Amino acid sequence: MSDISGTPRRRHRRRGKALALGVPLTLTAAGALAYGTDLGAFGSGAQHTASAATAAPAWATASADGFASVNALGQNGTYGGRNGKTVTVKTLADLEKYATASEPYVIVVAAAINMNPVGKEIRVQSDKTIVGSGTSGHIVGGGFFLGQGVHNVIIRNLTIRDAYQGVWNDKEHDFDGVQMDGAHHVWIDHNDIRHMADGLIDSRKDTTYLTVSWNKLSQENKAFGIGWTTNVTADITIHHNWVRETEQRNPSTDNVAHAHLYNNFLEDVAGTDIKSSYGNYSRGKTNMVLENSYFQGMTNPVVRDTTATLVQRGNLFSGTSGKNESGGSGAAWNPKTYYPYTLDKTADVPALLKSGTGPRSSIGTTTATTTAATTTTTTKAAAAATLTVAKDGSGQYTTVQAAVNAVPANNPSRVVIAVKPGTYRELVKVPGNKPHVTIQGTGGSRKDTTIVYNNASGTPKPGGGTYGTGGSATVAVEADDFQARNLTISNDFDEGAHQDIAGQAVALRTAADKVFLDGVIVSGDQDTLLVDTASKDKLGRVYMTNSYVIGNVDFIFGRATAVIDKSVITLKKRFNGTSAGYVTAPSTVAGRKGILIANTTIGGDVSDRSFHLGRPWHAGGDASLDPQTTVRNSTLSAAIRTAPWTDMSGFHWKDDRFAEYQNKGAGAGAASSERPHLSDAQAAGQEVVDWLGDWTPTAS
């Protein structure tokens, strides 16, 4: 594309036009962080569906184990809405209608549902089962609230994500995945809860007879808090949960009469910015039994107050440091006097939970098997139409490109390429005749699976000639309806070692419509993410959520209609250690929408006031283009210049479309001639839904 200075070209006159107006619509789309993010239906774009079933599916008859199975407080176990009608919902209105009803329901969530407003928590009433249909049930930008006396509730097989508001330790927004205040007999099972604004699960104010099992809790400052009471009456079981990329409350268990934690996996992932401050915490007057759990890399893996009691049995600790405590004067208790259970071997816990936690593609095959000694739940995953890639030969293919090559031309339906953890140094191209492809990392973190190469503009091609900017991409997507999730795409071109050629080195190039990037890292230096279209006259929409984009010069650029939502944009220094750069360089076609950055954090380890938010790229000197970047409802660090927009290659930014709306942080600033802000009316026409039009990104 362009170098950092640019060559002067002919200016063009400002075209007289107004920013589009529209009906205000507050969106709560992901990413996490969704994240995480698989995005859901947007407002009026969602299909209004609620259909009654004549017979409840197998998973609707499942009952809880642990303390949620105990006969107490007038409730004999937890079975949710098993005795009520089964309905399928795809909209917020229908979900809220049935979840808040007085009669029992089994509510099957069959789409990604966006909470409106952000942080909304549906007030679930008693006798409800809320369960995801396969892996398609997502609650985006909010969660559930169970108030005083609410009981007999099952929340199962859902992804609840992306209420994150850009502040890591967010004390302003109490946006939880599931919050319970004085509820009882609740089963939270097989969910993926991540990237919320305060905590993932909060069990408060004497909530009791609670079982939390087989969940993946991640990407959050506070994972699971229990307490907010001086009473010591609650009985809680927490088993087979994978807690990772969290800092605290893993869980923090305050004033719980009987806390039984077993077969959990707490993991502090090396090399990330998220560091644990503690693991399992027996707090206040809690009496905790902690069994056969696995702690990996945790700081202060097990902590207790001097007033608390904590019994440890069979736990394993790998690479941990700091406090690892037990003891106390409380009365000894045996969980088996309350309910039956069987312990898995501690050494097997990481592998077991990495493969078994979170939503199941076919929760309907779950069966409960009861013996004289134990009650166990076994989940069988349905066979997926998937191509597997593994470097070690344990998959069908050893390279990602080989799996892409195996996708039939003009395939009519989704093909998932599941890539096992590892570093895949290769070039990947998804050609235009292979739509509906998903490339998905199967590791616990998006850092576990990396596709990387080091071509740049000017790198010699094997057959002669050199690559251009677009041709340098590590991953090139030319097929519509492409999805990528839970992986890293990188270009590690060494600009310092190759000053003989240009520094443009693309990690990911998209030249297609309906491209959905969820829970990914796209990393490079200059020209990291090229969001393009197949041709100037074709529409190309990209939705990125719950993701990271890393770079320094024009590193989000192109002519696509692209949204970066609920993500993190990381600014990095140049190869020579200097701080100077540009976040966006749109080359939008006139009459189309360009780049929208919303609900996102922009910052990095660079000098203050050293980065512009964007500049207009008139590719090839094309004066007919009308570049657009809008940055709204985002957090800007002090790295952003007080005059955040600048000219490029002889084209003046004021002749194009650059604006902000309701940003915050040290890099935000008041409206001025050098810093235009949208009015409320203008902003109403520049929501995420305005960018995506008739497309509702949905995880597949």
Side-chain angles (χ1 to χ4, degrees):
M1 194 195 46
S2 61
D3 62 21
I4 198 165
S5 56
T7 303
R9 288 192 171 95
R10 176 171 57 88
R11 295 181 183 271
H12 66 295
R13 291 185 178 181
R14 182 177 180 85
R15 290 163 297 282
K17 56 186 178 295
L19 292 168
L21 302 182
V23 178
L25 176 62
T26 302
L27 295 176
T28 59
L33 240 164
Y35 79 194
T37 191
D38 316 303
L39 177 71
F42 286 92
S44 60
Q47 180 183 359
H48 187 84
T49 303
S51 57
T54 56
W59 37 256
T61 64
S63 299
D65 59 5
F67 270 117
S69 69
V70 172
N71 185 353
L73 301 178
Q75 177 66 37
N76 190 4
T78 303
Y79 48 84
R82 184 172 65 196
N83 297 327
K85 292 181 179 179
T86 297
V87 295
T88 298
V89 301
K90 294 185 178 181
T91 68
L92 175 57
D94 283 339
L95 175 59
E96 190 164 20
K97 171 185 175 181
Y98 292 107
T100 60
S102 58
E103 59 265 43
Y105 279 105
V106 174
I107 304 164
V108 183
V109 181
I113 295 176
N114 291 276
M115 293 301 191
N116 187 358
V118 175
K120 181 183 183 68
E121 293 176 3
I122 293 176
R123 303 183 74 87
V124 180
Q125 297 304 305
S126 300
D127 305 319
K128 300 295 184 297
T129 294
I130 306 175
V131 61
S133 175
T135 58
S136 65
H138 288 239
I139 307 300
V140 184
F144 299 104
F145 176 83
L146 281 63
Q148 184 67 41
V150 170
H151 59 277
N152 191 30
V153 173
I154 296 173
I155 298 173
R156 200 168 187 224
N157 213 56
L158 292 167
T159 297
I160 304 173
R161 58 181 175 84
D162 298 317
Y164 183 64
Q165 296 296 289
V167 177
W168 181 243
N169 189 5
D170 196 336
K171 298 182 182 299
E172 179 182 352
H173 301 99
D174 187 17
F175 299 164
D176 301 318
V178 181
Q179 180 174 311
M180 297 160 283
D181 282 4
H184 67 92
H185 287 90
V186 179
W187 185 27
I188 302 173
D189 177 71
H190 272 107
N191 300 290
D192 179 352
I193 310 179
R194 52 183 159 90
H195 211 230
M196 302 300 286
D198 180 51
L200 301 177
I201 301 175
D202 270 1
S203 175
R204 317 187 326 166
K205 300 179 181 178
D206 306 320
T207 293
T208 188
Y209 298 107
L210 168 68
T211 297
V212 178
S213 58
W214 294 99
N215 299 286
K216 182 188 295 185
L217 307 177
S218 64
Q219 300 172 32
E220 184 65 38
N221 181 32
K222 304 167 186 173
F224 183 3
I226 303 169
W228 290 267
T229 179
T230 57
N231 301 320
V232 187
T233 58
D235 291 345
I236 295 175
T237 304
I238 303 165
H239 72 87
H240 290 94
N241 298 283
W242 182 15
V243 184
R244 65 185 315 278
E245 289 190 281
T246 61
E247 289 189 4
Q248 56 182 312
R249 299 184 186 172
N250 297 308
S252 169
T253 310
D254 188 24
N255 289 335
V256 174
H258 300 102
H260 185 203
L261 282 65
Y262 70 92
N263 282 145
N264 296 298
F265 178 33
L266 275 66
E267 182 183 21
D268 190 333
V269 183
T272 71
D273 294 334
I274 301 173
K275 302 297 181 186
S276 60
S277 57
Y278 60 86
N280 292 162
Y281 185 0
S282 184
R283 188 173 177 177
K285 295 182 180 180
T286 292
N287 195 330
M288 178 183 292
V289 174
L290 174 59
E291 301 181 284
N292 286 33
S293 289
Y294 197 108
F295 298 81
Q296 175 69 51
M298 299 293 293
T299 302
N300 302 315
V302 184
V303 182
R304 79 171 182 92
D305 286 350
T306 57
T307 54
T309 298
L310 197 157
V311 175
Q312 286 203 48
R313 292 194 288 259
N315 302 303
L316 286 178
F317 302 87
S318 175
T320 61
S321 61
K323 295 180 179 180
N324 187 351
E325 301 175 327
S326 59
S329 59
W333 68 284
N334 181 1
K336 288 188 177 180
T337 63
Y338 294 87
Y339 51 83
Y341 69 100
T342 298
L343 293 170
D344 286 304
K345 293 180 180 179
T346 312
D348 295 341
V349 164
L352 180 67
L353 270 59
K354 285 183 178 181
S355 63
T357 53
R360 306 288 84 197
S361 58
S362 183
I363 197 76
T365 60
T366 299
T367 59
T369 303
T370 304
T371 67
T374 65
T375 299
T376 61
T377 299
T378 303
T379 300
K380 301 175 183 178
T386 300
L387 305 177
T388 58
V389 178
K391 286 179 63 66
D392 62 5
S394 61
Q396 296 167 277
Y397 306 94
T398 57
T399 68
V400 180
Q401 187 61 54
V404 173
N405 294 344
V407 176
N410 302 310
N411 50 296
S413 59
R414 176 73 47 192
V415 177
V416 176
I417 298 174
V419 188
K420 293 187 178 182
T423 299
Y424 298 80
R425 182 163 285 277
E426 59 174 300
L427 298 173
V428 177
K429 181 177 180 179
V430 183
N433 65 346
K434 296 189 177 186
H436 320 303
V437 168
T438 296
I439 300 178
Q440 179 168 331
T442 64
S445 167
R446 59 193 126 202
K447 292 187 176 182
D448 292 346
T449 304
T450 298
I451 305 172
V452 59
Y453 213 74
N454 61 348
N455 282 340
S457 179
T459 298
K461 292 182 178 180
T466 60
Y467 292 102
T469 298
S472 71
T474 299
V475 175
V477 176
E478 298 177 353
D480 291 347
D481 196 21
F482 172 84
Q483 300 188 6
R485 58 175 46 86
N486 196 42
L487 51 79
T488 295
I489 299 171
S490 177
N491 190 316
D492 63 354
F493 172 69
D494 188 344
E495 190 175 352
H498 294 281
Q499 286 295 286
D500 54 320
I501 61 177
Q504 295 97 327
V506 176
L508 173 62
R509 175 175 70 90
T510 69
D513 191 29
K514 301 181 181 178
V515 174
F516 184 17
L517 309 173
D518 180 17
V520 301
I521 299 171
V522 183
S523 178
D525 287 309
Q526 182 171 348
D527 291 9
T528 303
L529 175 60
L530 171 52
V531 285
D532 207 353
T533 66
S535 62
K536 185 177 176 180
D537 62 340
K538 288 190 176 181
L539 179 64
R541 289 166 292 182
V542 178
Y543 183 82
M544 170 182 272
T545 186
N546 187 31
S547 296
Y548 291 78
V549 188
I550 303 167
N552 48 40
V553 176
D554 301 332
F555 62 97
I556 303 171
F557 72 109
R559 68 184 171 212
T561 296
V563 178
I564 314 294
D565 188 22
K566 292 190 183 288
S567 294
V568 176
I569 295 172
T570 301
L571 314 174
K572 63 186 293 189
K573 293 180 179 178
R574 304 202 70 198
F575 71 93
N576 57 7
T578 60
S579 295
Y582 313 86
V583 177
T584 68
S587 57
T588 320
V589 173
R592 292 221 181 110
K593 294 190 179 295
I595 296 172
L596 173 64
I597 297 172
N599 312 302
T600 288
T601 298
I602 303 177
D605 185 17
V606 296
S607 301
D608 288 357
R609 310 305 176 192
S610 60
F611 272 72
H612 289 93
L613 288 176
R615 57 182 183 169
W617 178 35
H618 286 259
D622 187 348
S624 72
L625 298 177
D626 193 14
Q628 180 184 30
T629 295
T630 297
V631 181
R632 60 174 298 163
N633 305 106
S634 293
T635 301
L636 312 181
S637 79
I640 302 304
R641 292 177 178 266
T642 54
W645 313 105
T646 191
D647 302 340
M648 182 178 187
S649 303
F651 290 94
H652 189 27
W653 70 268
K654 289 186 178 181
D655 289 338
D656 293 305
R657 298 175 289 170
F658 294 90
E660 297 176 76
Y661 182 70
Q662 291 190 355
N663 293 320
K664 58 186 178 181
S672 71
S673 61
E674 298 302 310
R675 192 158 200 167
H677 286 204
L678 301 176
S679 67
D680 290 344
Q682 291 170 330
Q686 296 202 37
E687 300 273 10
V688 174
V689 71
D690 298 302
W691 255 247
L692 302 183
D694 62 356
W695 173 43
T696 301
T698 304
S700 299

